């Protein structure tokens, strides 16, 4: 047989490599920003269009490249950063594999202009899909400008795989923030479709954090500083009362690189133990400096995982350092009520009973009254057809309450579906009780019904939000004292995007400036105390895969539903169960989690055999 093995042409090899290095526009942003930093720039400008799909442009005032280097920089394994394998262990640059530019040029249109400091003239190079289109001399300022256009133009499958511009922009923003946070000694500007998202001067780390995440960050930060033989920790943690539900503001930088480390993250969680609820996330911005020889950075360039030699020791040091800082700055366990209350998220108060939203099912309505608040609000009367199913759940407890229940046993199995069978009148004396302030327990025909109160209430609210006409017309309550809330520029942009839907629900928002919004009206069913929480939730967890209306309904019901831990009186318990079974869907909450379970009498019987 003839020889069949051949070497792949360079442009094919580059495309394959590109698949690993460049997953999405944000990967290109990361590589270009890091190159600019490695080139010693003190000013870096990032310009993107359409979530980076049509343009990613990075301009720096760093070292620049000679004419020959400019050409070489696009070759694979072309790097100025290492020359021998040993250099890998003493790296203080971001790049070292010489792969990024070659990869990017293989799958995009690249336009490079660069000039060395002191040189009279610079070079201008155009490359499309690894092919050099032109190389000319050009008059350009000192430094480098790289524009990457039409990413994945020659890999349609990859291009189609990209998410919406907004999602890609969010990934880019994440990468930008990571680089910008570590390099506060560098000024950054970031523009998206012509509008400025960030303009960061050279500043201290603390100022940089505040600049990136908004003014409200300033009062939240607690400094951390510790130096031991194996590890130097510095930076900031956020006070426990500002812990969030999402993991947004958590940054480890190991030897100047952003890293992810679930293990060290756990050390932080352990340090905050007892200060924040288990589902809450502490914010942190920490530099970890270790001996470069003790950290394995020889990993894939796009990955952020690293390996430390002695993780256990680092864990212990980190945990005690954080505990120490929390103690030293007196943030344990007292709560600082000096803060602007508007910015406080009530759910983060430690040890404080969650504030019961006034929308709870308490007393405002009687479920057995056709004209109850909830049924009225739902825009129609109690949905009879589905309610019947629920009524049928009840048993005449006297009838079945016999020591010889096995006699009734058989007949009960005959109607295993609790929603079928003949209708019985609703037993208004039905006993319910709350288990661990989390579940409502009651009896049904076939045994016992256990309802998760939080999920049930979410379902009830959700259907009201989506179905309620009065709500759709913006039934709004005016606030006597409008609330001013601060957000970051990006968050304000997000809120603006949701503005129309917010108005439909009854929110009245005025955007005062690029970091502040005034709330002068809220939906009727909401309480003032939850405004900050609801809006924060809306901007933090925007999910582009669902419609804005659905997203808002989900967020609202998630934030204002009865929580686990809230005590409910008997009437409210019954009312909630009734409303639940009046819902179109009563088995699953808006997030597709099971709302209730039943325990068959048979199963209980078996335990006594
Ligand atoms: P690496 O960063 O791993 O060395 P890259 O492909 O990212 O590989 O870059 C190749 C080389 O091109 C770098 O080593 C550097 O010498 C040069 N280079 C890239 N970007 C710049 C820039 N913005 N300014 C100066 N030199 C650069
Ligand atoms: Mg690089």
């Amino acid at each position: 047989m003839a020889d069949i093995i051949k070497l792949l042409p360079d442009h094919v090899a580059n495309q394959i490599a590109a698949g690993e290095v460049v997953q999405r526009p944000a990967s290109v942003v990361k590589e270009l920003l890091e190159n600019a930093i490695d080139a010693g720039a003190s000013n870096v400008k990032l310009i993107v269009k359409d979530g980076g799909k049509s343009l990613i442009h990075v301009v720096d005032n760093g070292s620049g490249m000679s004419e020959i280097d400019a050409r070489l920089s696009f070759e694979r394994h072309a790097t100025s950063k290492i020359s021998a394998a040993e250099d890998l262990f003493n790296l203080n640059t971001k790049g070292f594999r010489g792969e990024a530019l070659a990869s990017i040029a293989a799958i995009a249109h690249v336009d490079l202009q660069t000039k060395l400091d002191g040189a009279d003239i610079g070079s201008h190079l155009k490359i499309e899909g690894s092919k050099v289109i032109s190389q000319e001399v050009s008059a350009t300022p000192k430094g480098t400008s790289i524009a990457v256009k039409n990413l994945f133009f020659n890999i349609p499958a990859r291009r189609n795989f990209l998410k919406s511009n907004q999602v890609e922009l969010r990934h880019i923003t994440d990468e930008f923030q990571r680089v910008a946070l570590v390099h506060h000694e560098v000024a950054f500007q970031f523009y998206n479709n012509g509008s400025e998202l960030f303009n960061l001067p050279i500043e201290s780390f603390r100022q940089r954090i505040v600049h990136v995440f908004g003014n409200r960050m300033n009062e939240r930060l607690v400094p951390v500083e510790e130096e031991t033989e194996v590890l130097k920790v510095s930076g900031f943690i956020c006070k426990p009362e500002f812990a969030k539900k999402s993991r947004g503001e958590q940054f480890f930088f190991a030897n100047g690189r952003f890293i992810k480390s679930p293990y060290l993250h756990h050390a932080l969680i352990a340090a905050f133990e007892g200060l924040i609820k288990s589902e809450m996330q502490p914010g942190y911005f920490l530099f970890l400096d270790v001996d470069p020889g003790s950290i394995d950075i020889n990993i894939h360039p796009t990955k952020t995982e690293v390996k430390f030699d002695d993780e256990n020791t680092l864990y212990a040091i980190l945990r005690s350092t954080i505990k120490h800082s929390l103690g030293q700055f007196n943030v344990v366990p007292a709560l600082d009520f000096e803060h602007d209350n508007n910015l406080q998220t009530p759910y983060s108060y430690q040890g404080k009973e969650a504030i019961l939203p006034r929308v709870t099912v308490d007393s405002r309505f009687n479920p057995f009254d056709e004209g109850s608040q909830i049924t009225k609000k739902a825009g129609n009367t109690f949905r009879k057809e589905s309610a019947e199913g629920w009524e049928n759940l009840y048993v005449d407890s006297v009838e079945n309450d016999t020591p010889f229940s096995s006699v009734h046993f058989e007949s009960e199995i005959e109607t295993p579906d609790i929603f079928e069978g003949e209708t019985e009148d609703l037993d208004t004396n039905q006993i319910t009780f709350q288990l661990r302030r989390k579940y409502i327990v009651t009896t049904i025909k076939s045994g016992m019904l256990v309802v998760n109160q939080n999920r049930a209430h979410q379902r009830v609210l959700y259907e009201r939000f989506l179905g309620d006409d009065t709500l759709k017309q913006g039934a709004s309550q005016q606030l006597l004292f409008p609330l001013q809330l601060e957000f970051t520029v990006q968050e304000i942009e997000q809120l603006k995007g949701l503005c129309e839907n917010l108005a439909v629900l009854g929110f009245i928002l005025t955007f005062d400036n690029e970091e502040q919004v005034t709330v002068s009206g809220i939906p009727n069913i909401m309480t003032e105390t939850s405004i900050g929480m609801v809006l924060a939730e809306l901007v933090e967890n925007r999910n582009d895969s669902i419609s804005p209306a659905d997203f808002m309904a989900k967020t609202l019901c998630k934030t204002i539903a009865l929580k686990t831990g809230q005590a409910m009186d008997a009437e409210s318990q019954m009312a909630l169960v009734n409303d639940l079974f009046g819902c179109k869907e009563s088995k699953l909450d808006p997030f597709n989690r099971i709302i209730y379970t039943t325990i068959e009498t048979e199963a209980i019987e078996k335990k006594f055999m």
Side-chain angles (χ1 to χ4, degrees):
M1 205 167 117
D3 301 332
I4 51 170
I5 296 178
K6 50 183 181 284
L7 283 174
L8 287 173
D10 264 0
H11 71 275
V12 178
N14 283 338
Q15 262 194 27
I16 295 170
E20 281 179 45
V21 180
V22 184
Q23 267 112 33
R24 54 182 357 136
S27 336
V28 174
V29 168
K30 173 176 187 275
E31 295 297 338
L32 297 187
L33 290 180
E34 290 188 347
N35 279 348
I37 300 288
D38 282 347
S42 62
N43 193 301
V44 180
K45 194 184 289 175
L46 168 65
I47 300 149
V48 305
K49 286 206 175 116
D50 305 324
K53 291 174 194 167
S54 41
L55 176 73
I56 298 163
H57 188 180
V58 173
V59 185
D60 70 55
N61 64 351
S63 63
M65 286 178 266
S66 70
E67 201 185 324
I68 292 183
D69 279 357
R71 176 68 195 83
L72 261 182
S73 67
F74 290 98
E75 293 295 328
R76 214 137 54 97
H77 308 304
T79 177
S80 55
K81 297 165 194 175
I82 55 169
S83 48
E86 299 84 72
D87 295 346
L88 276 177
F89 300 101
N90 239 326
L91 215 61
N92 47 26
T93 55
K94 311 276 174 195
F96 55 88
R97 297 168 52 123
E99 234 171 17
L101 289 188
S103 299
I104 294 165
I107 50 158
H109 297 166
V110 176
D111 193 305
L112 168 83
Q113 298 212 53
T114 185
K115 191 177 79 122
L116 287 171
D117 196 10
D120 293 331
I121 205 96
S123 355
H124 186 178
L125 193 65
K126 286 187 183 175
I127 302 187
E128 295 183 356
S130 296
K131 272 208 291 290
V132 179
I133 303 294
S134 70
Q135 179 160 17
E136 300 162 352
V137 291
S138 84
T140 174
K142 173 211 167 198
T144 304
S145 148
I146 301 191
V148 177
K149 296 175 194 160
N150 308 324
L151 191 64
F152 297 129
F153 78 99
N154 51 358
I155 317 181
R158 227 18 203 278
R159 197 170 167 88
N160 294 338
F161 185 70
L162 294 177
K163 296 277 176 7
S164 70
N165 291 354
Q166 212 185 349
V167 171
E168 294 302 339
L169 178 66
R170 193 151 342 124
H171 286 285
I172 290 174
T173 308
D174 283 348
E175 291 296 353
F176 173 83
Q177 289 180 342
R178 290 166 185 174
V179 177
L181 281 170
V182 203
H183 295 283
H184 50 91
E185 79 289 355
V186 176
F188 287 92
Q189 298 89 43
F190 178 5
Y191 299 88
N192 172 52
N193 291 340
S195 64
E196 182 184 277
L197 290 185
F198 292 91
N199 188 348
L200 311 168
I202 293 172
E203 56 197 342
S204 72
F205 185 38
R206 184 180 188 118
Q207 287 166 331
R208 179 58 56 95
I209 295 172
V210 171
H211 245 123
V212 170
F213 293 104
N215 283 332
R216 65 197 157 134
M217 209 65 196
N218 201 20
E219 53 170 358
R220 303 183 178 186
L221 300 175
V222 176
V224 176
E225 197 72 64
E226 179 67 85
E227 188 161 0
T228 70
E229 236 167 64
V230 287
L231 172 68
K232 180 172 178 285
V233 190
S234 62
F236 299 90
I237 48 176
C238 289
K239 293 178 186 168
E241 66 264 35
F242 296 106
K244 291 185 164 188
K245 275 196 195 151
S246 65
R247 298 186 57 165
E249 287 147 14
Q250 300 179 329
F251 296 87
F252 282 129
F253 301 104
N255 293 3
R257 281 164 193 272
F258 172 80
I259 61 150
K260 284 184 184 149
S261 167
Y263 184 66
L264 295 184
H265 169 76
H266 191 270
L268 261 287
I269 298 290
F272 274 88
E273 199 183 302
L275 295 172
I276 57 175
K277 287 185 185 162
S278 61
E279 74 271 19
M280 303 300 280
Q281 295 286 337
Y284 54 84
F285 308 86
L286 295 172
F287 283 96
L288 311 173
D289 288 303
V290 296
D291 174 4
S294 76
I295 175 175
D296 185 2
I297 43 94
N298 193 12
I299 38 134
H300 194 283
T302 64
K303 297 237 174 81
T304 44
E305 286 85 18
V306 290
K307 252 203 89 34
F308 294 100
D309 276 357
D310 191 1
E311 278 198 327
N312 295 350
T313 312
L314 299 190
Y315 183 102
I317 297 174
L318 196 54
R319 194 179 75 142
S320 67
T321 303
I322 300 304
K323 279 196 159 193
H324 181 71
S325 288
L326 285 168
Q328 198 178 15
F329 288 88
N330 218 7
V331 287
V332 190
L335 289 169
D336 191 349
F337 288 102
E338 305 261 81
H339 295 296
D340 183 353
N341 272 330
N342 302 336
L343 297 175
Q344 300 270 14
T345 44
Y347 55 70
S348 61
Y349 285 176
Q350 225 353 83
K352 187 173 171 186
E353 186 86 51
I355 296 162
L356 197 71
R358 261 183 281 133
V359 283
T360 53
V361 279
D362 286 23
S363 63
R364 284 215 334 216
F365 64 92
N366 174 352
F368 311 113
D369 167 3
E370 284 273 285
S372 86
Q373 291 272 12
I374 271 209
T375 49
K376 259 198 226 142
K377 279 207 161 182
N380 52 24
T381 45
F382 205 69
R383 282 187 240 359
K384 203 65 188 161
E385 66 289 359
S386 41
E388 276 170 7
W390 158 237
E391 286 155 11
N392 194 38
L393 288 172
Y394 288 109
V395 278
D396 180 344
S397 46
V398 179
E399 188 186 302
N400 279 351
D401 192 17
T402 146
F404 307 109
S405 47
S406 54
V407 176
H408 298 269
F409 206 43
E410 300 255 288
S411 68
E412 278 166 26
I413 324 176
E414 280 167 15
T415 52
D417 186 340
I418 54 175
F419 297 103
E420 278 167 16
E422 91 257 38
T423 307
E424 283 172 64
D425 281 339
L426 197 62
D427 178 1
T428 47
N429 293 322
Q430 187 65 34
I431 289 171
T432 60
F433 69 91
Q434 231 184 336
L435 181 66
R436 297 179 158 249
R437 291 193 176 173
K438 184 172 184 184
Y439 302 104
I440 300 167
V441 183
T442 187
T443 50
I444 50 166
K445 197 166 213 163
S446 62
M448 215 157 84
L449 175 74
V450 184
V451 179
N452 180 307
Q453 65 188 48
N454 169 257
R455 295 180 187 181
H457 198 209
Q458 288 197 27
R459 167 51 68 184
V460 172
L461 289 173
Y462 182 65
E463 297 206 355
R464 278 177 55 202
F465 285 140
L466 290 186
D468 193 325
D469 289 339
T470 53
L471 206 66
K472 283 229 166 95
Q473 283 152 19
S476 181
Q477 47 169 321
Q478 304 274 316
L479 298 181
L480 211 49
F481 302 102
L483 274 179
Q484 291 181 333
L485 299 176
E486 278 182 52
F487 289 94
T488 63
V489 179
Q490 300 72 45
E491 288 170 340
I492 289 286
E493 285 296 312
Q494 292 223 43
L495 278 180
K496 283 184 178 161
L498 290 170
C499 204
E500 224 170 87
N501 299 85
L502 283 164
V504 167
L505 286 178
F507 282 98
I508 304 173
L509 304 183
T510 340
F511 295 93
D512 308 325
N513 58 45
E514 49 183 21
E515 291 200 13
Q516 188 178 299
V517 61
T518 299
V519 186
S520 48
I522 54 173
N524 271 334
I525 39 85
M526 231 176 95
T527 56
E528 261 187 81
T529 45
S530 51
I531 299 175
M533 186 159 71
V534 168
L535 292 185
E537 190 75 33
L538 281 172
V539 292
E540 262 168 41
N541 298 320
R542 177 73 182 105
N543 179 346
D544 294 291
S545 60
I546 58 178
S547 75
D550 195 30
F551 168 68
M552 308 262 286
K554 286 198 165 109
T555 307
L556 278 175
C557 66
K558 190 165 77 183
T559 14
I560 67 184
L562 275 159
K563 301 281 182 298
T564 294
Q566 283 178 351
M568 296 170 74
D569 60 26
E571 197 190 355
S572 313
Q573 294 170 24
M574 269 305 293
L576 180 56
V577 174
N578 273 293
D579 277 355
L580 172 66
F581 287 97
C583 284
K584 288 199 189 102
E585 159 69 73
S586 49
K587 292 197 173 83
L588 299 173
D589 78 359
F591 304 93
N592 281 331
R593 296 171 306 182
I594 288 176
I595 296 176
Y596 66 84
T597 184
T598 55
I599 300 168
E600 307 291 306
T601 315
E602 186 186 2
I604 300 173
E605 297 284 350
K606 274 194 185 140
K607 295 215 180 278
F608 292 95
M609 281 200 224

